[in-house]
């Protein structure tokens, strides 16, 4: 994929050699800001680290993840999106994995995403056999509100089209990420209010601060 630059920020394909720095960036900028991680009060970046690394590295290896670098600041990472192919069998496998995970924040987040994947059923809804799954998008706090997240998502859509993906899907735990993707033409095909998602004892599992009240599955045909 050809990289593109705007106002000194270049977006290019992420490669495996980037992951060490991306992981450090995630610890500082993603796990402290993503609503479900932030509200958990747990050190989510230390939980299921091996599994999390495997998921992220597998996506980078597909050549479908993007990195944003500020060339005006020594090539500092200012954003990224981890994305990869999702197939029907992945959804079923994730449901099985979700049942085996321990009851920590990482496991609870994995379980609610697996539930949303299964119930949204993008493959049957759109009559497709694969989709480009936008897994994690993160922008540095210093760059938020400047359109970089939208630029990353739009670049990912273009990449998806060039790779022959018929659709792109994102599981948005944040109000702002869902709103951003809606502005790019993505449609909410499934939603789950956090107040309705409870454990076996009837207790609400996730209580992020407003306006993050709902998990939304956003999708678009490419």
């Amino acid at each position: 994929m050809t990289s593109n630059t705007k106002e000194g920020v270049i977006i290019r394909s992420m490669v495996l050699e980037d992951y060490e720095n991306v992981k450090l960036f995630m610890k500082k900028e993603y796990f402290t800001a993503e609503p479900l991680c932030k509200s958990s009060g747990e050190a989510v970046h230390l939980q299921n680290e091996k599994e999390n690394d495997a998921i992220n590295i597998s996506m980078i290896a597909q050549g479908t993840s993007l990195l944003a670098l500020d060339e005006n600041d020594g090539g500092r990472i200012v954003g990224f999106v981890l994305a990869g192919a999702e197939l029907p069998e992945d959804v079923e496998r994730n449901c099985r994995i979700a049942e085996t995970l321990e009851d920590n924040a990482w496991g609870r987040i994995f379980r609610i995403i697996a539930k949303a994947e299964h119930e949204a059923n993008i493959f049957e809804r759109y009559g497709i056999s694969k989709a480009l799954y936008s897994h994690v998008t993160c922008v540095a706090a210093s760059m938020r509100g400047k359109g970089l997240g939208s630029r990353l998502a739009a670049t990912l859509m273009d990449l998806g089209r060039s790779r022959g993906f018929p659709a792109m899907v994102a599981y948005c735990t944040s109000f702002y990420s869902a709103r951003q993707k809606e502005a790019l033409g993505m449609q909410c095909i499934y939603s789950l209010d956090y107040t309705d998602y409870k454990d076996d004892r009837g207790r609400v599992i996730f209580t992020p601060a407003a306006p993050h009240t709902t998990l939304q599955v956003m999708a678009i045909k490419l």
Side-chain angles (χ1 to χ4, degrees):
M1 187 198 76
T2 304
S3 60
N4 63 76
T5 306
K6 182 180 179 182
E7 297 176 354
V9 175
I10 183 171
I11 293 177
R12 64 162 173 81
S13 295
M14 192 186 299
V15 295
L16 292 172
E17 290 75 16
D18 294 318
Y19 186 58
E20 184 177 350
N21 289 328
V22 168
K23 188 173 177 178
L24 292 172
F25 180 82
M26 287 181 75
K27 176 183 176 182
K28 178 184 177 183
E29 301 283 2
Y30 177 73
F31 289 107
T32 58
E34 190 281 320
L36 304 189
C37 293
K38 184 178 180 180
S39 63
S40 73
E42 301 177 26
V44 185
H45 68 284
L46 297 176
Q47 298 173 351
N48 299 80
E49 195 171 359
K50 182 179 178 181
E51 293 90 341
N52 200 51
D53 285 344
I55 291 168
N56 296 340
I57 289 169
S58 71
M59 290 187 171
I60 297 169
Q62 294 175 46
T64 47
S65 298
L66 301 170
L67 193 61
L69 305 168
D70 187 353
E71 295 189 315
N72 295 324
D73 191 9
R76 177 175 66 97
I77 296 175
V78 290
F80 71 86
V81 55
L82 286 163
E86 184 171 73
L87 308 174
E89 52 264 37
D90 295 326
V91 176
E92 299 309 315
R93 185 183 68 248
N94 288 340
C95 286
R96 293 193 299 271
I97 292 172
E99 295 175 358
T100 70
L101 296 173
E102 60 188 293
D103 189 28
N104 58 18
W106 196 92
R108 292 191 292 272
I109 293 167
F110 191 103
R111 279 193 287 274
I112 193 173
I113 296 295
K115 174 182 172 69
E117 283 179 333
H118 179 74
E119 296 183 357
N121 199 353
I122 186 174
F123 303 104
E124 186 173 304
R125 181 184 296 269
Y126 285 171
I128 57 178
S129 58
K130 68 175 181 177
L132 179 58
Y133 168 30
S134 178
H135 173 51
V136 173
T137 300
C138 181
V139 171
S142 61
M143 296 292 290
R144 290 171 196 160
K146 300 181 179 181
L148 180 55
S150 295
R151 197 174 142 211
L152 280 164
T155 304
L156 185 61
M157 288 179 194
D158 289 341
L159 177 58
R161 291 186 189 100
S162 73
R163 293 289 187 90
F165 285 96
M168 186 172 101
V169 63
Y171 302 88
C172 298
T173 57
S174 159
F175 168 81
Y176 299 115
S177 63
R179 185 176 68 176
Q180 170 209 90
K181 287 174 172 58
E182 183 179 28
L184 291 170
M186 298 187 75
Q187 178 184 15
C188 180
I189 62 170
Y190 172 89
S191 65
L192 175 60
D193 290 342
Y194 295 128
T195 54
D196 292 333
Y197 186 67
K198 302 176 182 180
D199 64 15
D200 293 339
R201 297 171 61 183
R203 298 174 300 186
V204 174
I205 295 173
F206 297 110
T207 56
H212 311 295
T213 60
T214 308
L215 186 157
Q216 297 183 67
V217 180
M218 307 297 293
I220 188 171
K221 288 186 176 181
L222 299 176

